[in-house]
Amino acid sequence: MRTTLRSLFVLFVALLIVGCAGGTLTVEESYDVLRPVKQLDLPEQVSENLIIKISNVADERSSYKNRVEAFINDKKIEPNWLISNIENTYTYSLRVRPGYYKVKSYYYAYVGWGEEKYLIETHDLVAVLPGKITTVSCDIVKEDNGVPVNKKMYFKQEAQPIKAGEQD
């Protein structure tokens, strides 16, 4: 019984010392260490705040069966619509948390006897800001056979405020 009490006392003192020592931090550590006691009640992001739009992908002529794949942070994004062999514009409307994202896409063109893959990327990370809709878009300029004129293609970025009616 006496050893049990002594063990509990030693444990209590050890926890007290650790607790007191862990109660200080430097100004520089505050952002990484401190967490709010209670989260702010922010309105939930109801509308889509990141739109990826790629135009001039396929048509009924030589670009028949050309396609694209979109990626965010190296995760493939599946479209939420049925894609046809002549899908001209791919528009991915997503709801994501505010922050910075790596957005890229691959354009697949059927050329000659096979499929060739071309990267569409951004110059920097894509900023998705609270209360704004970020759109990244690319209009593929291509030759008659479906090969892009520019082998390196880039998205254009634009951010616009979410209109009051779109938050409902």
Side-chain angles (χ1 to χ4, degrees):
M1 175 77 168
R2 192 173 172 143
T3 56
T4 305
L5 285 174
R6 184 179 292 174
S7 298
L8 287 174
F9 179 73
V10 170
L11 179 64
F12 175 73
V13 171
L15 287 173
L16 185 63
I17 291 171
V18 171
C20 290
T24 62
L25 55 114
T26 66
V27 173
E28 290 82 16
E29 295 172 321
S30 64
Y31 184 80
D32 293 326
V33 175
L34 293 177
R35 298 288 179 252
V37 175
K38 180 181 177 190
Q39 292 288 347
L40 279 176
D41 292 329
L42 296 174
E44 186 173 331
Q45 180 73 38
V46 175
S47 64
E48 290 80 12
N49 58 351
L50 176 60
I51 298 171
I52 303 170
K53 185 175 182 179
I54 306 160
S55 304
N56 198 25
V57 176
D59 55 39
E60 294 180 10
R61 298 184 322 254
S62 60
S63 293
Y64 178 74
K65 291 175 68 173
N66 290 2
R67 62 188 176 89
V68 295
E69 291 178 341
F71 293 82
I72 298 177
N73 296 345
D74 296 321
K75 303 255 189 249
K76 184 178 174 185
I77 306 300
E78 292 291 338
N80 60 352
W81 70 92
L82 185 60
I83 297 175
S84 72
N85 286 344
I86 56 172
E87 194 83 24
N88 189 302
T89 302
Y90 286 64
T91 304
Y92 299 85
S93 298
L94 300 113
R95 223 175 64 170
V96 297
R97 292 185 176 134
Y100 291 90
Y101 293 88
K102 180 180 171 186
V103 176
K104 69 180 177 183
S105 183
Y106 290 106
Y107 168 63
Y108 295 90
Y110 281 92
V111 181
W113 295 102
E115 183 179 68
E116 292 188 24
K117 180 177 173 180
Y118 302 92
L119 177 64
I120 306 170
E121 59 188 338
T122 58
H123 289 287
D124 292 314
L125 293 175
V126 175
V128 177
L129 305 171
K132 297 201 179 228
I133 297 174
T134 301
T135 303
V136 292
S137 61
C138 179
D139 186 21
I140 300 171
V141 179
K142 54 189 175 181
E143 297 174 9
D144 290 338
N145 64 354
V147 173
V149 170
N150 301 312
K151 303 301 182 231
K152 276 199 138 228
M153 295 179 281
Y154 293 95
F155 284 108
K156 290 183 238 170
Q157 293 185 47
E158 176 180 47
Q160 296 180 336
I162 296 175
K163 297 178 184 111
E166 294 178 14
Q167 282 282 346
D168 299 330

PDB file of all heavy atoms in Angstrom, residues 42-70:
ATOM      1  N   LEU A  42     -17.803  29.792 -38.716  1.00  0.00           N
ATOM      2  CA  LEU A  42     -17.774  30.391 -40.046  1.00  0.00           C
ATOM      3  C   LEU A  42     -18.884  29.782 -40.883  1.00  0.00           C
ATOM      4  O   LEU A  42     -19.203  28.597 -40.728  1.00  0.00           O
ATOM      5  CB  LEU A  42     -16.428  30.131 -40.721  1.00  0.00           C
ATOM      6  CG  LEU A  42     -15.213  30.759 -40.043  1.00  0.00           C
ATOM      7  CD1 LEU A  42     -13.946  30.291 -40.729  1.00  0.00           C
ATOM      8  CD2 LEU A  42     -15.311  32.267 -40.067  1.00  0.00           C
ATOM      9  N   PRO A  43     -19.466  30.564 -41.795  1.00  0.00           N
ATOM     10  CA  PRO A  43     -20.473  29.960 -42.674  1.00  0.00           C
ATOM     11  C   PRO A  43     -19.821  28.883 -43.530  1.00  0.00           C
ATOM     12  O   PRO A  43     -18.707  29.054 -44.005  1.00  0.00           O
ATOM     13  CB  PRO A  43     -20.961  31.136 -43.526  1.00  0.00           C
ATOM     14  CG  PRO A  43     -19.903  32.171 -43.412  1.00  0.00           C
ATOM     15  CD  PRO A  43     -19.205  31.957 -42.109  1.00  0.00           C
ATOM     16  N   GLU A  44     -20.515  27.797 -43.683  1.00  0.00           N
ATOM     17  CA  GLU A  44     -19.963  26.696 -44.476  1.00  0.00           C
ATOM     18  C   GLU A  44     -19.902  27.115 -45.936  1.00  0.00           C
ATOM     19  O   GLU A  44     -20.795  27.773 -46.452  1.00  0.00           O
ATOM     20  CB  GLU A  44     -20.823  25.450 -44.336  1.00  0.00           C
ATOM     21  CG  GLU A  44     -20.202  24.264 -45.037  1.00  0.00           C
ATOM     22  CD  GLU A  44     -20.957  22.982 -44.767  1.00  0.00           C
ATOM     23  OE1 GLU A  44     -21.553  22.863 -43.700  1.00  0.00           O
ATOM     24  OE2 GLU A  44     -20.928  22.116 -45.643  1.00  0.00           O
ATOM     25  N   GLN A  45     -18.811  26.741 -46.578  1.00  0.00           N
ATOM     26  CA  GLN A  45     -18.634  27.053 -47.989  1.00  0.00           C
ATOM     27  C   GLN A  45     -19.586  26.166 -48.777  1.00  0.00           C
ATOM     28  O   GLN A  45     -19.373  24.982 -48.909  1.00  0.00           O
ATOM     29  CB  GLN A  45     -17.186  26.771 -48.405  1.00  0.00           C
ATOM     30  CG  GLN A  45     -16.892  27.058 -49.837  1.00  0.00           C
ATOM     31  CD  GLN A  45     -16.826  28.531 -50.112  1.00  0.00           C
ATOM     32  OE1 GLN A  45     -16.341  29.305 -49.314  1.00  0.00           O
ATOM     33  NE2 GLN A  45     -17.337  28.934 -51.244  1.00  0.00           N
ATOM     34  N   VAL A  46     -20.683  26.750 -49.271  1.00  0.00           N
ATOM     35  CA  VAL A  46     -21.703  25.978 -49.955  1.00  0.00           C
ATOM     36  C   VAL A  46     -21.414  25.901 -51.442  1.00  0.00           C
ATOM     37  O   VAL A  46     -21.551  24.864 -52.061  1.00  0.00           O
ATOM     38  CB  VAL A  46     -23.107  26.583 -49.699  1.00  0.00           C
ATOM     39  CG1 VAL A  46     -24.158  25.854 -50.494  1.00  0.00           C
ATOM     40  CG2 VAL A  46     -23.432  26.518 -48.228  1.00  0.00           C
ATOM     41  N   SER A  47     -20.985  26.995 -52.031  1.00  0.00           N
ATOM     42  CA  SER A  47     -20.785  27.005 -53.475  1.00  0.00           C
ATOM     43  C   SER A  47     -19.375  26.544 -53.833  1.00  0.00           C
ATOM     44  O   SER A  47     -18.470  26.523 -53.001  1.00  0.00           O
ATOM     45  CB  SER A  47     -21.038  28.406 -54.029  1.00  0.00           C
ATOM     46  OG  SER A  47     -20.085  29.300 -53.502  1.00  0.00           O
ATOM     47  N   GLU A  48     -19.200  26.196 -55.090  1.00  0.00           N
ATOM     48  CA  GLU A  48     -17.900  25.779 -55.581  1.00  0.00           C
ATOM     49  C   GLU A  48     -16.963  26.984 -55.556  1.00  0.00           C
ATOM     50  O   GLU A  48     -17.345  28.085 -55.922  1.00  0.00           O
ATOM     51  CB  GLU A  48     -18.009  25.235 -57.011  1.00  0.00           C
ATOM     52  CG  GLU A  48     -18.725  23.911 -57.115  1.00  0.00           C
ATOM     53  CD  GLU A  48     -20.237  24.006 -57.087  1.00  0.00           C
ATOM     54  OE1 GLU A  48     -20.775  25.115 -57.206  1.00  0.00           O
ATOM     55  OE2 GLU A  48     -20.890  22.965 -56.937  1.00  0.00           O
ATOM     56  N   ASN A  49     -15.735  26.768 -55.119  1.00  0.00           N
ATOM     57  CA  ASN A  49     -14.791  27.865 -55.050  1.00  0.00           C
ATOM     58  C   ASN A  49     -13.525  27.635 -55.865  1.00  0.00           C
ATOM     59  O   ASN A  49     -12.630  28.469 -55.869  1.00  0.00           O
ATOM     60  CB  ASN A  49     -14.433  28.181 -53.591  1.00  0.00           C
ATOM     61  CG  ASN A  49     -13.858  26.993 -52.851  1.00  0.00           C
ATOM     62  OD1 ASN A  49     -13.859  25.869 -53.345  1.00  0.00           O
ATOM     63  ND2 ASN A  49     -13.386  27.224 -51.649  1.00  0.00           N
ATOM     64  N   LEU A  50     -13.453  26.510 -56.570  1.00  0.00           N
ATOM     65  CA  LEU A  50     -12.340  26.250 -57.485  1.00  0.00           C
ATOM     66  C   LEU A  50     -12.911  25.641 -58.756  1.00  0.00           C
ATOM     67  O   LEU A  50     -13.582  24.605 -58.708  1.00  0.00           O
ATOM     68  CB  LEU A  50     -11.311  25.298 -56.863  1.00  0.00           C
ATOM     69  CG  LEU A  50     -10.148  24.884 -57.770  1.00  0.00           C
ATOM     70  CD1 LEU A  50      -9.339  26.091 -58.242  1.00  0.00           C
ATOM     71  CD2 LEU A  50      -9.246  23.897 -57.059  1.00  0.00           C
ATOM     72  N   ILE A  51     -12.663  26.306 -59.869  1.00  0.00           N
ATOM     73  CA  ILE A  51     -13.153  25.830 -61.164  1.00  0.00           C
ATOM     74  C   ILE A  51     -11.962  25.621 -62.083  1.00  0.00           C
ATOM     75  O   ILE A  51     -11.130  26.518 -62.244  1.00  0.00           O
ATOM     76  CB  ILE A  51     -14.150  26.832 -61.773  1.00  0.00           C
ATOM     77  CG1 ILE A  51     -15.361  26.983 -60.856  1.00  0.00           C
ATOM     78  CG2 ILE A  51     -14.563  26.390 -63.181  1.00  0.00           C
ATOM     79  CD1 ILE A  51     -16.310  28.081 -61.236  1.00  0.00           C
ATOM     80  N   ILE A  52     -11.883  24.430 -62.655  1.00  0.00           N
ATOM     81  CA  ILE A  52     -10.854  24.108 -63.640  1.00  0.00           C
ATOM     82  C   ILE A  52     -11.576  23.957 -64.975  1.00  0.00           C
ATOM     83  O   ILE A  52     -12.476  23.118 -65.101  1.00  0.00           O
ATOM     84  CB  ILE A  52     -10.113  22.800 -63.289  1.00  0.00           C
ATOM     85  CG1 ILE A  52      -9.490  22.895 -61.895  1.00  0.00           C
ATOM     86  CG2 ILE A  52      -9.074  22.467 -64.348  1.00  0.00           C
ATOM     87  CD1 ILE A  52      -8.959  21.583 -61.372  1.00  0.00           C
ATOM     88  N   LYS A  53     -11.190  24.770 -65.950  1.00  0.00           N
ATOM     89  CA  LYS A  53     -11.877  24.747 -67.247  1.00  0.00           C
ATOM     90  C   LYS A  53     -10.845  24.611 -68.364  1.00  0.00           C
ATOM     91  O   LYS A  53      -9.937  25.428 -68.485  1.00  0.00           O
ATOM     92  CB  LYS A  53     -12.684  26.035 -67.434  1.00  0.00           C
ATOM     93  CG  LYS A  53     -13.504  26.050 -68.681  1.00  0.00           C
ATOM     94  CD  LYS A  53     -14.363  27.296 -68.739  1.00  0.00           C
ATOM     95  CE  LYS A  53     -15.219  27.278 -69.989  1.00  0.00           C
ATOM     96  NZ  LYS A  53     -16.082  28.464 -70.057  1.00  0.00           N
ATOM     97  N   ILE A  54     -11.020  23.564 -69.180  1.00  0.00           N
ATOM     98  CA  ILE A  54     -10.123  23.306 -70.304  1.00  0.00           C
ATOM     99  C   ILE A  54     -10.979  23.228 -71.559  1.00  0.00           C
ATOM    100  O   ILE A  54     -11.872  22.391 -71.657  1.00  0.00           O
ATOM    101  CB  ILE A  54      -9.330  21.995 -70.100  1.00  0.00           C
ATOM    102  CG1 ILE A  54      -8.618  22.038 -68.747  1.00  0.00           C
ATOM    103  CG2 ILE A  54      -8.344  21.785 -71.236  1.00  0.00           C
ATOM    104  CD1 ILE A  54      -8.209  20.709 -68.215  1.00  0.00           C
ATOM    105  N   SER A  55     -10.700  24.116 -72.514  1.00  0.00           N
ATOM    106  CA  SER A  55     -11.511  24.220 -73.727  1.00  0.00           C
ATOM    107  C   SER A  55     -10.743  23.758 -74.959  1.00  0.00           C
ATOM    108  O   SER A  55      -9.522  23.710 -74.956  1.00  0.00           O
ATOM    109  CB  SER A  55     -11.932  25.680 -73.947  1.00  0.00           C
ATOM    110  OG  SER A  55     -12.606  26.171 -72.833  1.00  0.00           O
ATOM    111  N   ASN A  56     -11.496  23.460 -76.016  1.00  0.00           N
ATOM    112  CA  ASN A  56     -10.974  23.031 -77.314  1.00  0.00           C
ATOM    113  C   ASN A  56     -10.244  21.691 -77.207  1.00  0.00           C
ATOM    114  O   ASN A  56      -9.184  21.500 -77.772  1.00  0.00           O
ATOM    115  CB  ASN A  56     -10.065  24.100 -77.926  1.00  0.00           C
ATOM    116  CG  ASN A  56      -9.871  23.884 -79.413  1.00  0.00           C
ATOM    117  OD1 ASN A  56     -10.698  23.280 -80.081  1.00  0.00           O
ATOM    118  ND2 ASN A  56      -8.763  24.366 -79.940  1.00  0.00           N
ATOM    119  N   VAL A  57     -10.843  20.759 -76.494  1.00  0.00           N
ATOM    120  CA  VAL A  57     -10.222  19.455 -76.272  1.00  0.00           C
ATOM    121  C   VAL A  57     -10.475  18.531 -77.459  1.00  0.00           C
ATOM    122  O   VAL A  57      -9.545  18.049 -78.090  1.00  0.00           O
ATOM    123  CB  VAL A  57     -10.728  18.817 -74.959  1.00  0.00           C
ATOM    124  CG1 VAL A  57     -10.164  17.417 -74.783  1.00  0.00           C
ATOM    125  CG2 VAL A  57     -10.382  19.696 -73.773  1.00  0.00           C
ATOM    126  N   ALA A  58     -11.740  18.263 -77.769  1.00  0.00           N
ATOM    127  CA  ALA A  58     -12.075  17.319 -78.837  1.00  0.00           C
ATOM    128  C   ALA A  58     -13.167  17.907 -79.715  1.00  0.00           C
ATOM    129  O   ALA A  58     -13.858  18.853 -79.330  1.00  0.00           O
ATOM    130  CB  ALA A  58     -12.535  15.986 -78.244  1.00  0.00           C
ATOM    131  N   ASP A  59     -13.297  17.351 -80.903  1.00  0.00           N
ATOM    132  CA  ASP A  59     -14.361  17.771 -81.826  1.00  0.00           C
ATOM    133  C   ASP A  59     -14.678  16.597 -82.745  1.00  0.00           C
ATOM    134  O   ASP A  59     -14.138  15.507 -82.577  1.00  0.00           O
ATOM    135  CB  ASP A  59     -13.955  19.024 -82.613  1.00  0.00           C
ATOM    136  CG  ASP A  59     -12.636  18.859 -83.366  1.00  0.00           C
ATOM    137  OD1 ASP A  59     -12.392  17.759 -83.918  1.00  0.00           O
ATOM    138  OD2 ASP A  59     -11.861  19.813 -83.408  1.00  0.00           O
ATOM    139  N   GLU A  60     -15.520  16.816 -83.725  1.00  0.00           N
ATOM    140  CA  GLU A  60     -15.921  15.738 -84.632  1.00  0.00           C
ATOM    141  C   GLU A  60     -14.949  15.555 -85.796  1.00  0.00           C
ATOM    142  O   GLU A  60     -15.152  14.686 -86.621  1.00  0.00           O
ATOM    143  CB  GLU A  60     -17.331  16.011 -85.155  1.00  0.00           C
ATOM    144  CG  GLU A  60     -18.375  15.947 -84.067  1.00  0.00           C
ATOM    145  CD  GLU A  60     -19.775  16.221 -84.574  1.00  0.00           C
ATOM    146  OE1 GLU A  60     -19.985  16.282 -85.800  1.00  0.00           O
ATOM    147  OE2 GLU A  60     -20.674  16.384 -83.735  1.00  0.00           O
ATOM    148  N   ARG A  61     -13.908  16.341 -85.843  1.00  0.00           N
ATOM    149  CA  ARG A  61     -12.931  16.228 -86.940  1.00  0.00           C
ATOM    150  C   ARG A  61     -11.723  15.416 -86.483  1.00  0.00           C
ATOM    151  O   ARG A  61     -11.873  14.325 -85.961  1.00  0.00           O
ATOM    152  CB  ARG A  61     -12.538  17.630 -87.398  1.00  0.00           C
ATOM    153  CG  ARG A  61     -13.722  18.442 -87.947  1.00  0.00           C
ATOM    154  CD  ARG A  61     -13.284  19.797 -88.481  1.00  0.00           C
ATOM    155  NE  ARG A  61     -12.236  20.410 -87.673  1.00  0.00           N
ATOM    156  CZ  ARG A  61     -12.408  21.428 -86.848  1.00  0.00           C
ATOM    157  NH1 ARG A  61     -13.585  21.961 -86.711  1.00  0.00           N
ATOM    158  NH2 ARG A  61     -11.401  21.933 -86.161  1.00  0.00           N
ATOM    159  N   SER A  62     -10.532  15.977 -86.644  1.00  0.00           N
ATOM    160  CA  SER A  62      -9.311  15.233 -86.347  1.00  0.00           C
ATOM    161  C   SER A  62      -9.038  15.097 -84.851  1.00  0.00           C
ATOM    162  O   SER A  62      -8.193  14.302 -84.450  1.00  0.00           O
ATOM    163  CB  SER A  62      -8.117  15.913 -87.022  1.00  0.00           C
ATOM    164  OG  SER A  62      -8.002  17.235 -86.543  1.00  0.00           O
ATOM    165  N   SER A  63      -9.709  15.872 -84.021  1.00  0.00           N
ATOM    166  CA  SER A  63      -9.507  15.779 -82.574  1.00  0.00           C
ATOM    167  C   SER A  63     -10.476  14.812 -81.912  1.00  0.00           C
ATOM    168  O   SER A  63     -10.645  14.824 -80.695  1.00  0.00           O
ATOM    169  CB  SER A  63      -9.668  17.166 -81.938  1.00  0.00           C
ATOM    170  OG  SER A  63      -8.634  18.012 -82.358  1.00  0.00           O
ATOM    171  N   TYR A  64     -11.117  13.978 -82.720  1.00  0.00           N
ATOM    172  CA  TYR A  64     -12.050  12.981 -82.214  1.00  0.00           C
ATOM    173  C   TYR A  64     -11.344  12.108 -81.185  1.00  0.00           C
ATOM    174  O   TYR A  64     -10.238  11.631 -81.418  1.00  0.00           O
ATOM    175  CB  TYR A  64     -12.554  12.147 -83.400  1.00  0.00           C
ATOM    176  CG  TYR A  64     -13.481  11.039 -83.028  1.00  0.00           C
ATOM    177  CD1 TYR A  64     -14.782  11.299 -82.648  1.00  0.00           C
ATOM    178  CD2 TYR A  64     -13.065   9.715 -83.067  1.00  0.00           C
ATOM    179  CE1 TYR A  64     -15.649  10.279 -82.320  1.00  0.00           C
ATOM    180  CE2 TYR A  64     -13.920   8.680 -82.743  1.00  0.00           C
ATOM    181  CZ  TYR A  64     -15.219   8.977 -82.364  1.00  0.00           C
ATOM    182  OH  TYR A  64     -16.075   7.963 -82.036  1.00  0.00           O
ATOM    183  N   LYS A  65     -11.926  11.928 -80.038  1.00  0.00           N
ATOM    184  CA  LYS A  65     -11.419  11.092 -78.947  1.00  0.00           C
ATOM    185  C   LYS A  65     -10.293  11.721 -78.134  1.00  0.00           C
ATOM    186  O   LYS A  65      -9.743  11.069 -77.260  1.00  0.00           O
ATOM    187  CB  LYS A  65     -10.979   9.722 -79.460  1.00  0.00           C
ATOM    188  CG  LYS A  65     -12.147   8.867 -79.916  1.00  0.00           C
ATOM    189  CD  LYS A  65     -11.704   7.571 -80.535  1.00  0.00           C
ATOM    190  CE  LYS A  65     -11.088   6.657 -79.525  1.00  0.00           C
ATOM    191  NZ  LYS A  65     -10.782   5.328 -80.025  1.00  0.00           N
ATOM    192  N   ASN A  66      -9.898  12.970 -78.388  1.00  0.00           N
ATOM    193  CA  ASN A  66      -8.919  13.617 -77.512  1.00  0.00           C
ATOM    194  C   ASN A  66      -9.587  13.852 -76.159  1.00  0.00           C
ATOM    195  O   ASN A  66     -10.801  14.000 -76.069  1.00  0.00           O
ATOM    196  CB  ASN A  66      -8.435  14.933 -78.103  1.00  0.00           C
ATOM    197  CG  ASN A  66      -7.551  14.722 -79.325  1.00  0.00           C
ATOM    198  OD1 ASN A  66      -7.336  13.601 -79.754  1.00  0.00           O
ATOM    199  ND2 ASN A  66      -7.057  15.801 -79.872  1.00  0.00           N
ATOM    200  N   ARG A  67      -8.796  13.891 -75.104  1.00  0.00           N
ATOM    201  CA  ARG A  67      -9.364  13.999 -73.763  1.00  0.00           C
ATOM    202  C   ARG A  67      -8.372  14.665 -72.826  1.00  0.00           C
ATOM    203  O   ARG A  67      -7.211  14.861 -73.188  1.00  0.00           O
ATOM    204  CB  ARG A  67      -9.734  12.627 -73.228  1.00  0.00           C
ATOM    205  CG  ARG A  67      -8.536  11.707 -73.086  1.00  0.00           C
ATOM    206  CD  ARG A  67      -8.927  10.284 -72.732  1.00  0.00           C
ATOM    207  NE  ARG A  67      -7.773   9.412 -72.706  1.00  0.00           N
ATOM    208  CZ  ARG A  67      -7.013   9.183 -71.653  1.00  0.00           C
ATOM    209  NH1 ARG A  67      -7.280   9.771 -70.506  1.00  0.00           N
ATOM    210  NH2 ARG A  67      -5.984   8.367 -71.706  1.00  0.00           N
ATOM    211  N   VAL A  68      -8.835  14.989 -71.624  1.00  0.00           N
ATOM    212  CA  VAL A  68      -7.964  15.538 -70.587  1.00  0.00           C
ATOM    213  C   VAL A  68      -8.224  14.826 -69.262  1.00  0.00           C
ATOM    214  O   VAL A  68      -9.283  14.227 -69.062  1.00  0.00           O
ATOM    215  CB  VAL A  68      -8.140  17.069 -70.390  1.00  0.00           C
ATOM    216  CG1 VAL A  68      -7.712  17.838 -71.605  1.00  0.00           C
ATOM    217  CG2 VAL A  68      -9.540  17.411 -69.971  1.00  0.00           C
ATOM    218  N   GLU A  69      -7.243  14.912 -68.383  1.00  0.00           N
ATOM    219  CA  GLU A  69      -7.372  14.459 -67.006  1.00  0.00           C
ATOM    220  C   GLU A  69      -6.904  15.604 -66.127  1.00  0.00           C
ATOM    221  O   GLU A  69      -5.884  16.233 -66.414  1.00  0.00           O
ATOM    222  CB  GLU A  69      -6.495  13.234 -66.728  1.00  0.00           C
ATOM    223  CG  GLU A  69      -6.949  11.981 -67.419  1.00  0.00           C
ATOM    224  CD  GLU A  69      -6.023  10.801 -67.166  1.00  0.00           C
ATOM    225  OE1 GLU A  69      -4.855  11.009 -66.759  1.00  0.00           O
ATOM    226  OE2 GLU A  69      -6.464   9.665 -67.388  1.00  0.00           O
ATOM    227  N   ALA A  70      -7.624  15.887 -65.053  1.00  0.00           N
ATOM    228  CA  ALA A  70      -7.264  16.967 -64.133  1.00  0.00           C
ATOM    229  C   ALA A  70      -6.755  16.377 -62.819  1.00  0.00           C
ATOM    230  O   ALA A  70      -7.238  15.336 -62.365  1.00  0.00           O
ATOM    231  CB  ALA A  70      -8.468  17.859 -63.872  1.00  0.00           C
TER     232      ALA A  70
END
